[in-house]
Amino acid sequence: MRLYNTLSKKVENFVPIARKKVGLYACGFTVYDFTHLGHLRKYTMDDVLIRTLKHEGYDVNFIQNITDVGHLASDEDTGEDKLEKGAKKYGKSVWDVAKEFEDYFFRSMDLMGNLRPDKSTRATEHIEDQLNLVKNLEKKGYTYVIEGDGVYFDTSKFPEYGEMAGLDLKRQQEGARVEKVAGKRNSSDFALWKFEREGENRAMVWESPWSKRSFPGWHVECSAMAMKYLGEQFDIHTGGIDHIPVHHTNEIAQSEASTGKSPFVKYWVHHNFLKVDGTKMSKSLGNFFTIDDIISRGFSPRALRLLLMTAHYQSEMNFTWENLSGMQKSYERLLKIVADLQKKVSESEKTDEKVVDDFDSGLAEKFKSKFFAALSENLNTPQALAVLWDVTKSNELSSFEKLSLVMEFNEIFQLDLEVAELALVKIRSSKASFTSEQGREIGNVSGKTTGLPEAIQQILLDRETARKNNDWNKSDGLRDLLLEKGYKVLDSSEGQKLERIK
Ligand code: AMP
Ligand code: ZN
């Protein structure tokens, strides 16, 4: 595996600290508003990285935090806490807002096919760890207190400050910027711990040696939790490119100052932005779309995943509905190709036709190594995707070979290809529900419902065909799909009967 490392500004061979084990920390989501497509891009590309590492035989320990306190509206240690902002916007408590948007985040991740972290860590559940880190920095002489404001890290005491981001520390320390926080010794100094301001009345406060009502700064949470679960030095840390000059620069300074060990992280992986109309999609600008906007317009989350694969994680990507619409068509075409391959292979297995024999393993191996080589070379997803399409178009591979290759590629791409037929039915049924609000009456239906939405009728028809063909897997899958949509299906001698359950 080779990865671009922001520390060295080079693509490097990946060599973990411990053989075959990888400690990976992904900067998590700030739970004050909806997860949007920009986040989906970042976390889906993290997922591709983790799945590729696993495919290469690494045992990955994946830690991801939930920022539920301390992330201020401005990177300059001023402005409102984002959680307090979200609570006001939605007229709820900070705790409710945090819980709801955390749930929304994980639901979005699941729909995109992203692996859950081995450990998801909330900042509010690690106050003690963060406090200990700040106390240790104080003991070592790296901090100073600004009365009524907070505990600050003195960057002039850490000569390596800003190396990763290429910051000119001297210029910053001479006060090139207009200082927003009175009492800061250097512009680049940052808050480790903040005190509640007069009249602020925060919902989230904790007692600390410096103030009865105080809370951690944002940067300190990532250092404290990463070191707690991955050790004082670990392999990979990911985040968006916006984190390079402040958040990650500060993480390095406070971690290395505290432990005296360098580097805190061996490889820093940074993702570029997803933009919309040329501007970064962001919660604070409000120019964002969510996974539900995708679904409610009739698109599949996995078509979005396929679209994300077309851009390298280090390049900017511009989101348009036209691109997604084009990708939805390609995705359906791919599902159809795979469903046909599955049918062909399973029929040939039934008739004992030896499709396996005509396969030239050499060629299949070539496709396979090309695909994984592309991912191994700094996660070149566009190139890997091209290999997937080449496999589907090849005249030289047998159906069996094609299917095996596509299924192996799907371990990384997660496009629901293992259930291609069912995914197609789901797409058809959700499309039908956009074209018809009110269904027409059909026979063989019991229960309270007299009219059925077209989407449900479509599933029933597909299920009837599946049963006629003795395709019990598909029939069961469609039964579960009906259940998801609020209908229980009962099979009788007269056919399928439906009962509305919600
Ligand atoms: P936040 O919830 O703002 O802390 O962001 C969580 C992660 O998503 C961070 O690593 C951000 O850099 C990343 N992120 C936010 N907006 C975008 C975007 N439009 N495109 C790509 N990544 C983003
Ligand atoms: Zn972070």
Side-chain angles (χ1 to χ4, degrees):
M1 180 93 190
R2 281 159 56 77
L3 276 176
Y4 181 86
N5 186 355
T6 312
L7 269 186
S8 65
K9 312 209 170 30
K10 278 198 256 319
V11 177
E12 293 179 34
N13 285 331
F14 175 69
V15 184
I17 296 168
R19 218 178 142 265
K20 284 293 166 195
K21 277 196 187 312
V22 177
L24 185 149
Y25 184 90
C27 261
F29 178 64
T30 309
V31 284
Y32 77 108
D33 214 321
F34 288 98
T35 303
H36 59 61
L37 306 190
H39 303 122
L40 297 188
R41 179 177 190 208
K42 190 263 174 190
Y43 294 107
T44 303
M45 298 318 283
D46 274 351
D47 188 65
V48 171
L49 167 61
I50 292 161
R51 287 179 187 276
T52 303
L53 287 166
K54 288 188 173 194
H55 190 273
E56 297 201 355
Y58 291 106
D59 176 7
V60 184
N61 189 8
F62 167 29
I63 310 294
Q64 185 175 268
N65 64 305
I66 295 283
T67 300
D68 54 359
V69 69
H71 194 170
L72 303 188
S74 155
D75 267 354
E76 289 165 339
D77 300 313
T78 58
E80 207 174 1
D81 189 316
K82 292 189 179 192
L83 262 294
E84 303 271 348
K85 197 171 152 189
K88 275 187 205 140
K89 179 173 170 186
Y90 292 101
K92 294 180 178 175
S93 77
V94 278
W95 300 103
D96 285 348
V97 163
K99 177 79 182 75
E100 280 173 33
F101 288 120
E102 181 184 316
D103 289 348
Y104 194 82
F105 171 76
F106 280 118
R107 183 175 153 257
S108 306
M109 292 300 125
D110 292 348
L111 284 164
M112 289 299 286
N114 293 338
L115 287 168
R116 294 241 178 161
D118 294 300
K119 192 151 187 64
S120 166
T121 61
R122 295 191 189 107
T124 52
E125 291 172 359
H126 293 79
I127 297 297
E128 202 60 35
D129 303 291
Q130 297 173 73
L131 204 49
N132 287 340
L133 177 58
V134 181
K135 281 188 202 162
N136 190 39
L137 287 168
E138 184 174 58
K139 202 167 79 199
K140 293 194 166 185
Y142 284 100
T143 67
Y144 60 94
V145 172
I146 301 179
E147 273 315 308
D149 184 321
V151 181
Y152 279 77
F153 185 95
D154 186 343
T155 53
S156 65
K157 303 225 164 115
F158 186 75
E160 300 81 16
Y161 184 84
E163 268 179 7
M164 179 172 74
L167 300 180
D168 184 344
L169 187 57
K170 216 162 168 37
R171 263 191 62 210
Q172 290 207 17
Q173 287 172 350
E174 279 160 5
R177 292 189 323 193
V178 179
E179 199 41 72
K180 298 239 171 78
V181 176
K184 258 200 205 181
R185 293 183 186 163
N186 312 286
S187 297
S188 48
D189 293 354
F190 58 91
L192 293 163
W193 207 267
K194 291 282 281 183
F195 311 151
E196 185 186 52
R197 288 190 310 272
E198 280 274 314
E200 196 183 5
N201 248 329
R202 289 175 54 95
M204 287 173 167
V205 279
W206 291 267
E207 190 172 342
S208 69
W210 314 281
S211 160
K212 279 218 152 353
R213 293 177 62 83
S214 58
F215 59 99
W218 169 40
H219 318 300
V220 83
E221 73 170 86
C222 287
S223 290
M225 297 192 284
M227 289 199 281
K228 175 168 184 157
Y229 296 105
L230 297 173
E232 292 179 343
Q233 295 180 289
F234 61 94
D235 301 300
I236 303 178
H237 193 314
T238 75
I241 50 169
D242 50 335
H243 289 345
I244 301 170
V246 182
H247 184 50
H248 290 166
T249 289
N250 295 348
E251 269 190 53
I252 292 173
Q254 69 205 2
S255 308
E256 295 187 2
S258 160
T259 63
K261 291 181 187 165
S262 176
F264 164 49
V265 173
K266 230 178 147 185
Y267 302 88
W268 286 89
V269 172
H270 288 106
H271 301 275
N272 210 325
F273 294 140
L274 183 75
K275 296 198 162 183
V276 55
D277 300 327
T279 311
K280 179 191 169 200
M281 191 177 280
S282 88
K283 287 180 277 195
S284 50
L285 294 174
N287 61 345
F288 64 78
F289 300 113
T290 65
I291 194 94
D292 285 312
D293 293 324
I294 297 287
I295 295 167
S296 69
R297 288 175 204 216
F299 298 111
S300 318
R302 303 304 166 99
L304 173 66
R305 190 172 170 111
L306 194 58
L307 182 65
L308 294 176
M309 297 304 131
T310 61
H312 189 261
Y313 75 94
Q314 288 183 284
S315 0
E316 225 170 75
M317 184 176 195
N318 197 41
F319 175 79
T320 66
W321 289 104
E322 289 72 30
N323 287 349
L324 182 58
S325 180
M327 197 46 82
Q328 177 73 33
K329 290 195 187 94
S330 306
Y331 178 52
E332 287 173 33
R333 196 150 37 86
L334 180 63
L335 287 174
K336 177 85 178 70
I337 292 171
V338 177
D340 288 347
L341 283 173
Q342 278 160 336
K343 221 174 276 168
K344 228 177 183 172
V345 169
S346 94
E347 269 159 25
S348 66
E349 272 165 3
K350 266 185 239 150
T351 55
D352 240 7
E353 197 189 305
K354 293 251 184 305
V355 271
V356 183
D357 280 352
D358 28 272
F359 97 70
D360 164 10
S361 62
L363 184 61
E365 257 329 295
K366 264 184 216 148
F367 276 112
K368 184 174 154 180
S369 48
K370 221 171 145 191
F371 179 88
F372 288 105
L375 291 173
S376 268
E377 184 57 32
N378 195 24
L379 299 179
N380 193 335
T381 52
Q383 217 171 77
L385 189 57
V387 179
L388 170 67
W389 285 118
D390 285 347
V391 164
T392 63
K393 284 183 224 142
S394 164
N395 295 324
E396 291 155 84
L397 291 166
S398 71
S399 300
F400 178 83
E401 283 175 308
K402 281 188 185 185
L403 191 58
S404 327
L405 285 169
V406 162
M407 285 307 147
E408 200 164 346
F409 300 171
N410 191 47
E411 280 173 30
I412 310 284
F413 280 163
Q414 294 294 307
L415 299 168
D416 276 347
L417 302 182
E418 69 286 12
V419 284
E421 179 90 44
L422 193 61
L424 272 173
V425 174
K426 281 191 179 182
I427 289 169
R428 241 184 293 153
S429 88
S430 74
K431 277 193 183 153
S433 64
F434 291 108
T435 51
S436 149
E437 297 276 67
Q438 273 292 304
R440 62 198 150 84
E441 220 166 304
I442 63 162
N444 282 348
V445 172
S446 68
K448 289 166 250 162
T449 327
T450 49
L452 278 177
E454 224 173 88
I456 304 299
Q457 294 177 40
Q458 183 64 55
I459 301 174
L460 279 175
L461 288 175
D462 282 324
R463 191 164 179 273
E464 202 173 297
T465 317
R467 293 174 70 77
K468 268 188 203 139
N469 295 335
N470 293 334
D471 188 347
W472 306 112
N473 272 347
K474 187 173 171 194
S475 159
D476 288 349
L478 294 173
R479 183 197 57 208
D480 295 343
L481 182 59
L482 284 166
L483 213 54
E484 257 175 51
K485 293 184 181 289
Y487 296 90
K488 190 172 171 192
V489 66
L490 304 163
D491 296 310
S492 73
S493 51
E494 296 118 60
Q496 308 176 75
K497 285 183 193 281
L498 274 195
E499 201 179 300
R500 191 92 171 97
I501 51 165
K502 56 183 176 188

